[in-house]
Amino acid sequence: MILKSFKRAVLGVGLALAFSGAAQAEKVLRVGNDGEPQSMDPHYISTVQTSRLSDDMIMGLLTYGQDGEPIAGAAESWTISDDGTTYTFKLRDHVWSDGTPVTAEDFVYAWRRLLAPETGAEYASLLYIIKGAEDVNSGKAGPEALAAEAVDDKTLKVELTAPAPYFLAQLTHQTAFPVPKHVVEKLGSDWTKPENIVVNGPYKLVSWTPKVEATLVKNDKFYDAENVAIDKVIYYAMEDRTAMQQRFRAGELDVARDIASEQIDWLRENMADSLRIAPYAGIYYYVFRSDKEPFTDARVRKALSMAINREVITDKVLRTGMLPAYSFVPPGTGNYGEPAYADFQGVPYGEAVTEAKALLAEAGYGPDKPLKITLRYNNAEDHKRIAVAVQSMWKQLGVEAELFNTDGKIHYADLKQGSFEVARAGWIADYNDPQNFLFLMESKSGPINYSKFNNEKFDGLMAEAEAVSDLKQRAKILRQAEEVAMDGQPVAPIFYYVSKQLISPKVVGWVDNAPDRHPTRFLDLKQ
């Protein structure tokens, strides 16, 4: 009896230790990320794939909540003036990962750094709504002209050029992130190396092997660290969606951030518990280099756009719920209403092709002088399948399109430099407002205006809308601007996105949302 009690006691201790060990086991989230990170510096980020890491590491005045909506971040509260142009933020009491307090000056310093002409930040124009920002970025004024003031360590005052209903949501974007002034001034561009980086968000970079993986670990100095369950997140750079799916099926990934659409039927039948398809605030489009022959001629651009059978691409090529697009701003975008559609929406495809041929003939192209172009796309099975389909559609017009592909990093670098004729592009809303789509075609938007569209009427309408506080009137003006763009077709909208990914059933806290933002801090793993 004594021996039996002893055995029970030993067994009890062993079980207790086992359960204790399990409870303390490190929780590691493994993510297949459909692209290589561009940089760990928020001022040099422009892709969704990179922003997933930056959102885990750095927290703006506002940040993304579990449902993708903006919530309080580095700012715990704010007030807005009656005229909607002055915002005063009170920062929460929190520190950088090296223990240094985060101050209002870190934001002022970061925004001035982003806007400095020598920085060359391609997203700088997103902050133009702040008074003085455009003059600073264009070199017309010094950094002190920016109307962002550190009233004291915990108070930041910002003045806008006009009321902006999207401004608070915009502050979740990496362009508005703070950077640690004390570290950047000391180390320069080396501040983002794993051994140097200092952050104020829930995770910190500890290793990065380009084109392989980046590993982030929990930042114990994050203000809400006690409520962060995942200890480590590994982002694997994987442009090959099929390979990503194979690793997910093998149990080597917990999340696959994209799928190979050609396998959608198999996935629906065999992995329904992991497949997640949801509406996504974005547009997939082809962009024409509108300042370069033959695309200076709007007839050529419109003919090529009209000949794209969007319904075939969404219903036959992809079959994942994408919707054919005839506007650049997706339907349902906030502060807008119905978008402005291209005038060939609803035209039977055969008639559209006939009209496209006529437009090309007017522009001087035909059997004796075929239009020869190069269509670029970045590596991905779906991009290739769409490009091959479009190549065939354009062939009906007598157009000879050569296909050219590169990895995503090179592709987008070439788009910003204008090294293309026609190219695949995509845009996911940074905030829920039509301005965040239409500004891509403003002449002042610099390198992210891939088409180099420079239309005085369009620019004038965008400027007019910026100064209007009445939301209905503003929406009317923005719709007029979109009408100009859809008439000129510097871009050919192809479809409105849905997010499509594989999420392991053991991942807890994943909430489908239109921005497709899923901060790791709100996730957990079933053991």
Side-chain angles (χ1 to χ4, degrees), residues 300 302-308 349 352-358 360 365-367 370-371 392-400:
V300 173
K302 186 173 183 179
L304 293 174
S305 183
M306 291 184 75
I308 297 174
Y349 183 65
V353 170
T354 299
E355 186 176 341
K357 287 180 179 178
L360 281 184
Y365 297 97
L371 177 62
S392 178
M393 295 167 189
W394 285 347
K395 192 173 182 180
Q396 300 173 89
L397 307 181
V399 175
E400 299 175 10

Side-chain angles (χ1 to χ4, degrees), residues 52-87:
R52 291 169 185 154
L53 284 76
S54 65
D55 287 348
D56 271 350
M57 293 191 291
I58 304 181
M59 182 173 62
L61 294 167
L62 277 77
T63 190
Y64 289 106
Q66 187 174 11
D67 59 359
E69 292 298 311
I71 61 173
E76 61 183 4
S77 65
W78 52 86
T79 58
I80 307 172
S81 63
D82 291 340
D83 66 358
T85 62
T86 302
Y87 288 68

Side-chain angles (χ1 to χ4, degrees), residues 367-431:
D368 296 331
K369 184 186 175 183
L371 177 62
K372 299 180 180 181
I373 59 177
T374 300
L375 170 60
R376 295 186 55 137
Y377 62 93
N378 51 308
N379 294 336
E381 295 93 330
D382 285 351
H383 300 333
K384 180 179 180 179
R385 294 168 69 217
I386 293 167
V388 169
V390 171
Q391 180 187 45
S392 178
M393 295 167 189
W394 285 347
K395 192 173 182 180
Q396 300 173 89
L397 307 181
V399 175
E400 299 175 10
E402 180 184 355
L403 303 185
F404 181 78
N405 66 293
T406 59
D407 68 50
K409 198 169 185 179
I410 294 173
H411 178 78
Y412 277 103
D414 285 346
L415 261 61
K416 290 159 196 167
Q417 293 169 8
S419 301
F420 71 96
E421 291 183 325
V422 187
R424 175 265 160 187
W427 184 259
I428 307 302
D430 299 310
Y431 42 90

Side-chain angles (χ1 to χ4, degrees), residues 164-416:
Y166 55 84
F167 182 61
L168 288 175
Q170 186 177 343
L171 296 176
T172 61
H173 193 261
Q174 64 263 14
T175 49
F177 283 178
V179 295
K181 179 180 178 181
H182 63 292
V183 177
V184 178
E185 287 190 334
K186 179 181 178 182
L187 300 175
S189 61
D190 287 341
W191 82 273
T192 55
K193 289 184 177 180
E195 63 270 24
N196 297 331
I197 195 166
V198 170
V199 299
N200 71 329
Y203 292 90
K204 179 181 177 181
L205 180 73
V206 292
S207 69
W208 180 19
T209 304
K211 296 188 177 183
V212 181
E213 58 85 13
T215 299
L216 282 58
V217 298
K218 182 176 175 180
N219 172 18
D220 291 335
K221 290 188 169 56
F222 178 58
Y223 86 94
D224 196 31
E226 63 181 17
N227 292 313
V228 175
I230 302 292
D231 298 297
K232 179 189 295 184
V233 54
I234 305 173
Y235 286 94
Y236 295 96
M238 305 188 72
E239 289 191 342
D240 186 331
R241 273 67 168 174
T242 299
M244 184 162 30
Q245 284 177 197
Q246 290 172 345
R247 291 192 64 177
F248 182 90
R249 290 177 59 193
E252 298 173 8
L253 296 175
D254 306 303
V255 174
R257 290 307 301 257
D258 200 2
I259 64 171
S261 295
E262 70 271 16
Q263 299 178 30
I264 186 62
D265 292 339
W266 188 93
L267 290 170
R268 282 174 170 150
E269 183 176 346
N270 296 280
M271 302 189 72
D273 62 341
S274 298
L275 181 62
R276 308 286 278 267
I277 297 177
Y280 194 14
I283 182 76
Y284 187 109
Y285 64 101
Y286 280 177
V287 57
F288 304 108
R289 180 69 189 274
S290 67
D291 65 338
K292 182 179 181 180
E293 294 288 350
F295 306 107
T296 53
D297 191 329
R299 293 172 299 185
V300 173
R301 302 194 301 262
K302 186 173 183 179
L304 293 174
S305 183
M306 291 184 75
I308 297 174
N309 193 326
R310 292 152 172 83
E311 287 73 17
V312 165
I313 290 173
T314 57
D315 300 345
K316 304 294 184 182
V317 177
L318 298 176
R319 297 180 297 119
T320 51
M322 308 292 190
L323 297 174
Y326 292 88
S327 67
F328 198 68
V329 180
T333 299
N335 306 317
Y336 200 42
E338 197 70 10
Y341 297 104
D343 60 10
F344 51 86
Q345 182 193 30
V347 175
Y349 183 65
E351 293 181 22
V353 170
T354 299
E355 186 176 341
K357 287 180 179 178
L359 286 171
L360 281 184
E362 288 177 19
Y365 297 97
D368 296 331
K369 184 186 175 183
L371 177 62
K372 299 180 180 181
I373 59 177
T374 300
L375 170 60
R376 295 186 55 137
Y377 62 93
N378 51 308
N379 294 336
E381 295 93 330
D382 285 351
H383 300 333
K384 180 179 180 179
R385 294 168 69 217
I386 293 167
V388 169
V390 171
Q391 180 187 45
S392 178
M393 295 167 189
W394 285 347
K395 192 173 182 180
Q396 300 173 89
L397 307 181
V399 175
E400 299 175 10
E402 180 184 355
L403 303 185
F404 181 78
N405 66 293
T406 59
D407 68 50
K409 198 169 185 179
I410 294 173
H411 178 78
Y412 277 103
D414 285 346
L415 261 61
K416 290 159 196 167

